[in-house]
Every structure is written in structure tokens, then in C-alpha cells.
């Protein structure tokens, strides 16, 4: 019986609304919360889940020997979580993606309307502007990975910059 069938039975037997039956089901079987790299791998391999997981374990061994593990493979073999149980639970009950912390980066001592690091999505460039330009073109909130990829990883250790974690 899959989730939808179980929710239907709960709703019928308990004379509950579908929304209440879904909430009840989810309270019995909570969805695992996983990193984006885990969700990405799962979405690309869920159709033939079992064989794809087996193949990924084999590839992990090969990549480990070469020193070229993917982020998913690092998670898979890390031992920090019971990765196989998490993957099976994702397959059975669904999952939620863990939100990465996001940061606003500003230069200390600079006029507020020009002190925030912004990414221009149209020109793929970075500049210091207002923290909220109100234009879809700019992004003033960034993940650590985005900052590091762009070469701004040092802002976290440099006293010249102020880093604020935002939701």
C-alpha cells in the first residue's frame, strides 16, 4: 500500500478530511530531511531505485580510490547518518530538502546603500549595491557554496566584512 492509498483509508475509516488524514499519516511516518545533493541524486535515480543505488555504491568505491567522490557519494559513505535507511525512507515516504543557510555580506564602514554584495543574474557579475534593490535582476542573499564558487569564500574569515545569516 502506498502513501495515497493509506491516506484514503485513514480518511474513510476515521471520517477525516484528506488534509487531516495526510497530516496524521505524516506524523506516523515523518519524511527524512536531506541535503540538496541527496535529493538531486534521488530524483535522477528513483525510477530504478534499487539497481541505481547498487551501482552508486560500486561507483563510490572506484571514485574513492581515485579521490574523486561526488557530494552524494561523500554523504553515502560518511557514516554520519544511516544513509541506506534514509534513502529507503525517502523512497517510501517522500522527503524534505534541508535549507542551506543564506547570508547577506556587507563591507563594514561603507555607506549602507552601497555596501551589500549583490549578484547580477542577467550579466552574471558581482557588485556592491543596496541590500534590497527591489529588482528581480539582483540577488543580495547567498549560500556559502555560491560565495565560495565565485571566489568570495574569504568573506567569512575577513574582519572587513560583516556576515549576517538570514532566512
Amino acid at each position: 500500500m502506498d502513501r495515497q492509498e493509506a491516506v484514503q483509508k485513514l480518511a474513510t475509516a476515521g471520517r477525516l478530511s484528506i488534509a487531516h488524514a495526510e497530516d496524521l499519516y505524516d506524523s506516523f511516518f515523518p519524511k527524512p530531511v536531506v541535503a540538496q545533493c541527496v535529493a538531486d541524486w534521488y530524483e535522477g535515480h528513483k525510477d530504478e531505485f534499487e539497481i541505481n543505488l547498487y551501482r552508486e555504491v560500486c561507483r563510490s568505491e572506484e571514485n574513492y580510490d581515485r579521490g574523486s567522490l561526488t557530494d552524494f557519494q561523500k554523504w553515502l559513505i560518511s557514516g554520519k547518518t544511516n544513509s541506506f535507511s534514509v534513502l529507503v525512507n525517502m523512497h517510501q515516504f517522500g522527503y524534505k530538502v534541508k535549507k542551506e543557510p543564506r547570508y547577506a555580506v556587507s563591507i563594514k564602514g561603507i555607506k549602507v546603500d552601497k555596501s551589500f554584495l549583490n549578484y547580477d543574474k542577467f550579466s552574471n557579475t558581482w557588485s556592491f549595491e543596496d541590500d534590497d534593490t527591489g529588482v528581480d535582476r539582483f540577488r543580495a542573499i547567498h549560500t556559502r557554496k555560491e560565495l565560495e564558487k565565485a571566489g568570495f569564500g574569504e568573506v567569512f574569515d575577513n574582519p572587513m566584512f560583516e556576515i549576517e545569516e538570514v532566512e
Side-chain angles (χ1 to χ4, degrees):
M1 173 183 322
D2 69 6
R3 181 182 188 277
Q4 194 55 41
E5 292 170 335
V7 166
Q8 288 292 336
K9 280 192 175 190
L10 275 172
T12 303
R15 297 181 185 185
L16 305 170
S17 69
I18 294 294
H20 191 217
E22 287 174 338
D23 290 344
L24 187 60
Y25 181 89
D26 289 342
S27 72
F28 291 132
F29 306 105
K31 295 177 181 177
V33 179
V34 297
Q36 187 65 54
C37 67
V38 177
D40 292 343
W41 181 90
Y42 177 76
E43 285 303 317
H45 299 88
K46 65 184 177 185
D47 293 334
E48 293 182 356
F49 174 69
E50 294 84 1
I51 190 67
N52 285 324
L53 181 56
Y54 173 78
R55 288 178 180 149
E56 196 66 31
V57 169
C58 294
R59 273 190 227 112
S60 295
E61 183 179 0
E62 295 165 8
N63 288 351
Y64 181 81
D65 292 339
R66 283 185 288 198
S68 60
L69 290 170
T70 66
D71 288 341
F72 174 74
Q73 290 169 341
K74 289 175 188 173
W75 173 83
L76 187 64
I77 66 171
S78 70
K80 293 178 184 173
T81 62
N82 190 343
S83 53
F84 290 98
S85 293
V86 170
L87 288 164
V88 169
N89 287 341
M90 288 173 67
H91 196 62
Q92 290 178 321
F93 309 123
Y95 63 93
K96 295 178 184 173
V97 177
K98 184 186 316 177
K99 300 272 188 207
E100 284 189 66
R102 300 177 66 76
Y103 305 95
V105 178
S106 62
I107 301 177
K108 291 180 183 175
I110 300 292
K111 189 175 175 184
V112 174
D113 65 345
K114 294 290 183 189
S115 68
F116 285 88
L117 183 62
N118 276 261
Y119 177 71
D120 184 335
K121 294 183 253 182
F122 294 157
S123 66
N124 295 322
T125 58
W126 294 80
S127 63
F128 284 94
E129 302 291 339
D130 191 348
D131 67 332
D132 185 13
T133 60
V135 181
D136 234 8
R137 177 178 181 158
F138 296 99
R139 182 183 73 227
I141 308 299
H142 320 285
T143 65
R144 183 179 207 104
K145 190 179 278 186
E146 290 168 340
L147 291 166
E148 288 172 350
K149 183 177 178 185
F152 294 110
E154 294 296 317
V155 298
F156 291 96
D157 301 321
N158 190 324
M160 184 175 147
F161 294 96
E162 187 172 313
I163 309 296
E164 180 184 352
E165 188 172 335
V166 295
E167 289 186 28

